[in-house]
Amino acid sequence: MWHAHVKTLRLDDGQATLILALHGKGLPEPLYFGAPLPADDDMGLAHALTSAFSKGSFDALPPITLLPEEGRGSTAQPGLVATAPDGTRWLTAFTLTNTEATATTLCLDAADEAAELTLTLDLRLEDGLLKAATTLKNTSETRPLLVSTLMAPTLIIPPTFTRMLSFGGRWTGEFDATEVPLTQGAIVREARQGRTGHEHAPATIVMEETTGQNRGEAIGVQLAWSGGHRLIVEELSDGRRTVSFGKYLRQGECVLAPGEAIKTPTLIAAHSATGLSGITQRFHASIRRHIGTQRWPRPITCNSWEAVYFNHDLGRLKRLVDKAAALGAERFLLDDGWFKGRNDDTTSLGDWTVDPIKWPNGLTPLIDHVHEKGLEFGLWIEPEMINEESDLFRAHPDWRLADAAYPPVPGRHQFVLDLTNPAAFDHIFSAIDAILTKYPIGAIKWDHNRPLSAASAEGRPAAMRQTSAMLALMDALIAKHPTVEFESCAGGGGRIDGAVLTRAGRVWLSDSNDAVERMRLQSAASLLLPPEVVGSHVGPRVCHTSGRILPMTTRAWTAAARHMGFELDLAELTDEEEATLRAAVAWHKQNREVIHTGITSRLTVPEPDAYGELIALPDQSRFVAFASFVRAPTRTASKPLRLMGLDPDRRYEVRLANPEAINTMLTKTPAGIAKAPVTLSGRALMAAGVALPLHVPATVFVLEGRAV
């Protein structure tokens, strides 16, 4: 039953409300996170949400607090699992010792004297987003503490939320959005590879049964951490549901010495009353607020990788630069193969000096040519890795991250360089710093092509400390070279998260340049990532990862929806392909202000395996919309596409931006939007929509609209 001594704590920023209940001196229980509520609802809500429960359990229903504790009777997944070396003191029962609060921030201090621990919970609301973290300190003067689980503050999921969306995948197939029903028990997603991972992006969305792209409630949660992580969504036997996030910790990986503390990464949560579009918009705004260095306008990028691979020849690269510049490129990035002895992927990682055979005069001749053509120069690096066939390994075999008692496991013929070793850290910092100091480099593509499966030399798991050292290395280089734009790549999308995005202004979403695969990838990833962050390149006519052959109109307009670039031998282009690409580049430049600063609304495309979005300027005066179709239509006539996110009271002129995508074998006589622009109110465009032309498989239609 409800007791009068229950108090509440409240955070409110005008866009979201968080209400917590205090039961005595224990940690608070999250009652509500969602749309703003009146201030006088707090105590009434605590009363209204007090549940009746059956016999056969405790005398009182244990609250699910921000850090569920078995010591207080909680049967939820514990927020903390830690023991003394002899296995004692594994229970906790924290007592609040201090509370500091403003309208939008809350800092809670707690202690468990018997366990010799203190706890700090930091929560704040920022533009409708909840950001929360947990800090644990071992206050013992003599006893170390073995921590195997420490979660960021736990959130309660409303009982009407019955679906969970998570993101799995693989190399070249990242961001595979998978939906499962919420039922009794725990759903656990663990990324164990020591990096964010292709397999489990650190994010989930829970929602109502009827939630769609633009209707219904949803809560999105992500973890700002570039290493292994653990997500738990659970329904207890009493029906209450929770979501929690933390680092993935191997046994023995986190040992707190007396007086030592550990803090979780920040959990970021967004509530939406407007379906998945609302989650998309909240997360986009947060990334834009805290993103690393970016070049504006976002430059069209030509990457050398799928054009030349390791075959670096100055004459050939100059011709590639010339062609890229003529097509409208604004940045040229020299990918893998430029450093000493690097002729394939079996050698030379760690030797970050320019190859004297390929580049007898250094990179200056190429950079000068790039600059003469008006382009910025960028460079690829993989500073966390080492090959056995390298000068660095021969000089310092002990710098390889490996347990001395077991043979190390190679990945892509390479091993992990132990950045937790100060000497190795300093060496790599100095080598990359020297390159950035010597040459005028505007962008760095930072790659990471294998999992972190190794332990340290003494046999302790090392992934968590290695990840922290990697972030520290990136921080040190950014501090020294603040104008350089960093791109996060880990075999494609293996390291995309809220931590690396405060350092990198661009991510390489996938090593797949297959435009059909990119349709799905870009749509799913846009739930988390704004368009200007996501690198998307026009790949070769024959895709190097799938073998699929796709028309230039599909490849070009798929790339035009994000941070556009090329990654192919431009000499292979036919005159028709070149004309199509040139037109798409010109259109992208005219509309990238909208794409890269606008507000994204997700569209329901009435066909299977189809994806859509509308991006409008914040003042809703202009928009672009993309509709991508993997399969042929299911009917003989096209279906209307509702355009969401517009001002209902304004009128818009809407036109098809890429009429060359129309297949004349299907419809020889253009009709509707394919024949001429239309002018309609935003209300009509959102309620009725426009019919697109019939499509063949692998088609992208692009609309653009202006208020008139």
Side-chain angles (χ1 to χ4, degrees):
M1 64 182 294
W2 178 68
H3 297 284
H5 67 267
V6 174
K7 298 180 180 180
T8 59
L9 296 168
R10 177 191 181 100
L11 297 182
D12 197 316
D13 68 349
Q15 299 184 52
T17 296
L18 173 70
I19 298 176
L20 308 171
L22 285 169
H23 303 272
K25 293 185 178 181
L27 298 176
E29 173 186 17
L31 294 180
Y32 174 85
F33 171 60
L37 295 178
D40 53 6
D41 276 348
D42 295 8
M43 288 301 297
L45 192 68
H47 188 178
L49 294 180
T50 300
S51 300
F53 64 101
S54 64
K55 295 181 179 180
S57 182
F58 298 102
D59 292 338
L61 188 66
I64 299 176
T65 65
L66 291 170
L67 191 85
E69 299 176 273
E70 292 182 83
R72 294 208 182 262
S74 173
T75 58
Q77 292 284 326
L80 170 64
V81 177
T83 65
D86 63 359
T88 61
R89 292 293 177 239
W90 60 274
L91 291 176
T92 64
F94 284 98
T95 298
L96 281 178
T97 58
N98 187 53
T99 301
E100 296 181 8
T102 69
T104 59
T105 65
L106 179 63
C107 180
L108 302 168
D109 293 321
D112 184 330
E113 293 184 1
E116 297 182 292
L117 298 173
T118 61
L119 190 74
T120 299
L121 301 171
D122 288 295
L123 303 96
R124 71 181 186 275
L125 283 178
E126 181 182 278
D127 295 329
L129 287 169
L130 174 64
K131 299 187 175 182
T134 304
T135 303
L136 177 72
K137 183 176 182 180
N138 177 13
T139 59
S140 171
E141 295 181 356
T142 59
R143 180 215 63 200
L145 185 74
L146 281 64
V147 180
S148 54
T149 298
L150 181 65
M151 308 298 280
T154 294
L155 294 181
I156 297 293
I157 300 172
T160 56
F161 286 26
T162 59
R163 301 154 58 201
M164 170 187 170
L165 189 68
S166 61
F167 304 91
R170 56 172 173 79
W171 177 71
T172 70
E174 299 86 339
F175 286 95
D176 184 9
T178 303
E179 185 179 308
V180 296
L182 297 181
T183 57
Q184 187 173 333
I187 300 171
V188 181
R189 299 281 188 267
E190 292 181 339
R192 303 181 181 181
Q193 294 194 1
R195 58 183 180 183
T196 312
H198 302 83
E199 298 77 15
H200 296 294
T204 189
I205 299 172
V206 289
M207 53 193 150
E208 296 178 309
E209 184 64 35
T210 57
T211 295
Q213 302 288 16
N214 293 283
R215 71 173 190 276
E217 282 197 88
I219 291 176
V221 183
Q222 57 177 294
L223 191 72
W225 174 238
S226 299
H229 51 268
R230 189 167 192 246
L231 164 69
I232 305 173
V233 178
E234 182 179 29
E235 180 181 314
L236 302 182
S237 61
D238 54 49
R240 291 178 296 174
R241 292 174 175 151
T242 66
V243 57
S244 55
F245 240 136
K247 293 179 180 179
Y248 176 74
L249 299 175
R250 290 177 170 84
Q251 189 68 28
E253 187 164 16
C254 180
V255 180
L256 296 184
E260 192 174 8
I262 182 175
K263 185 176 183 178
T264 68
T266 299
L267 176 144
I268 305 171
H271 171 267
S272 169
T274 55
L276 296 178
S277 286
I279 297 295
T280 297
Q281 292 158 14
R282 293 279 195 208
F283 282 156
H284 287 195
S286 177
I287 288 173
R288 284 171 169 168
R289 192 177 301 111
H290 301 290
I291 193 71
T293 299
Q294 289 183 315
R295 194 78 70 245
W296 288 91
R298 308 295 288 130
I300 304 283
T301 298
C302 178
N303 185 292
S304 70
W305 180 241
E306 291 194 25
V308 302
Y309 291 106
F310 295 104
N311 301 317
H312 287 197
D313 172 79
L314 180 58
R316 184 179 180 185
L317 287 167
K318 281 185 174 182
R319 291 190 292 274
L320 182 62
V321 171
D322 293 345
K323 191 76 170 179
L327 288 168
E330 297 155 315
R331 172 188 289 165
F332 181 83
L333 192 138
L334 185 65
D335 212 289
D336 195 359
W338 59 268
F339 49 101
K340 183 180 179 182
R342 183 68 164 177
N343 297 311
D344 56 39
D345 62 4
T346 68
T347 181
S348 302
L349 286 175
D351 296 343
W352 299 110
T353 57
V354 177
D355 190 300
I357 297 176
K358 295 179 183 179
W359 302 99
N361 297 309
L363 296 177
T364 298
L366 177 62
I367 295 174
D368 285 349
H369 187 75
V370 168
H371 288 168
E372 287 171 7
K373 294 297 179 179
L375 279 65
E376 178 185 72
F377 182 77
L379 195 66
W380 177 96
I381 59 173
E382 192 172 2
E384 302 159 69
M385 301 299 161
I386 189 170
N387 289 121
E388 285 185 323
E389 181 55 41
S390 66
D391 291 344
L392 183 62
F393 182 81
R394 284 185 284 270
H396 297 284
D398 55 311
W399 286 4
R400 176 171 57 187
L401 187 61
D403 186 333
Y406 299 96
V409 179
R412 204 195 179 209
H413 311 290
Q414 63 196 48
F415 299 92
V416 180
L417 183 69
D418 185 2
L419 293 178
T420 68
N421 180 325
F425 183 102
D426 291 344
H427 173 85
I428 292 299
F429 170 82
S430 297
I432 303 303
D433 173 49
I435 292 290
L436 291 173
T437 300
K438 180 175 181 179
Y439 295 109
I441 295 171
I444 284 289
K445 181 180 177 182
W446 184 302
D447 213 339
H448 178 287
N449 277 299
R450 59 152 292 158
L452 300 181
S453 59
S456 62
E458 66 273 16
R460 285 183 58 186
M464 180 181 69
R465 292 183 294 127
Q466 178 76 5
T467 300
S468 296
M470 177 278 297
L471 293 173
L473 177 60
M474 191 174 278
D475 287 340
L477 288 167
I478 291 170
K480 185 75 179 291
H481 305 279
T483 63
V484 175
E485 179 178 337
F486 285 81
E487 175 179 9
S488 176
C489 176
R495 184 186 279 154
I496 299 175
D497 57 82
V500 81
L501 281 166
T502 62
R503 298 159 170 91
R506 190 182 203 252
V507 299
W508 186 231
L509 193 61
S510 177
D511 277 349
S512 173
N513 276 325
D514 183 317
V516 168
E517 183 65 14
R518 280 275 176 161
M519 292 176 185
R520 179 198 63 77
L521 268 164
Q522 291 178 184
S523 178
S526 72
L527 285 161
L528 311 174
L529 304 173
E532 70 274 16
V533 167
V534 177
S536 186
H537 293 173
V538 179
R541 186 182 302 119
V542 179
C543 177
H544 291 186
T545 56
S546 70
R548 189 161 15 210
I549 299 174
L550 294 170
M552 177 55 76
T553 183
T554 303
R555 290 181 278 153
W557 291 99
T558 298
R562 295 296 183 264
H563 183 194
M564 189 178 190
F566 323 139
E567 192 169 335
L568 73 162
D569 184 354
L570 295 172
E572 79 172 22
L573 297 178
T574 65
D575 291 344
E576 182 180 3
E577 287 174 329
E578 185 172 324
T580 300
L581 179 55
R582 192 183 303 276
V585 169
W587 180 91
H588 178 85
K589 288 183 176 181
Q590 292 168 358
N591 290 276
R592 62 184 163 187
E593 177 191 1
V594 181
I595 299 169
H596 294 162
T597 68
I599 297 171
T600 298
S601 296
R602 310 182 69 80
L603 304 181
T604 300
V605 184
E607 290 288 352
D609 293 325
Y611 310 95
E613 64 189 13
L614 183 144
I615 309 172
L617 284 176
D619 66 3
Q620 297 176 307
S621 62
R622 290 173 57 195
F623 71 83
V624 298
F626 298 89
S628 304
F629 301 89
V630 175
R631 292 165 52 182
T634 55
R635 299 290 185 270
T636 57
S638 58
K639 302 173 184 177
L641 176 69
R642 292 181 175 182
L643 304 180
M644 310 304 292
L646 301 177
D647 183 339
D649 298 321
R650 299 173 89 165
R651 296 185 68 77
Y652 294 90
E653 182 184 83
V654 186
R655 62 180 291 271
L656 183 66
N658 62 333
E660 74 275 9
I662 299 173
N663 187 289
T664 56
M665 293 298 292
L666 294 178
T667 52
K668 293 187 177 181
T669 303
I673 192 74
K675 184 176 183 180
V678 298
T679 301
L680 288 169
S681 68
R683 194 179 308 277
L685 291 168
M686 291 189 289
V690 296
L692 298 174
L694 287 174
H695 60 274
V696 294
T699 296
V700 182
F701 290 120
V702 182
L703 302 178
E704 60 180 60
R706 293 176 179 270
V708 296

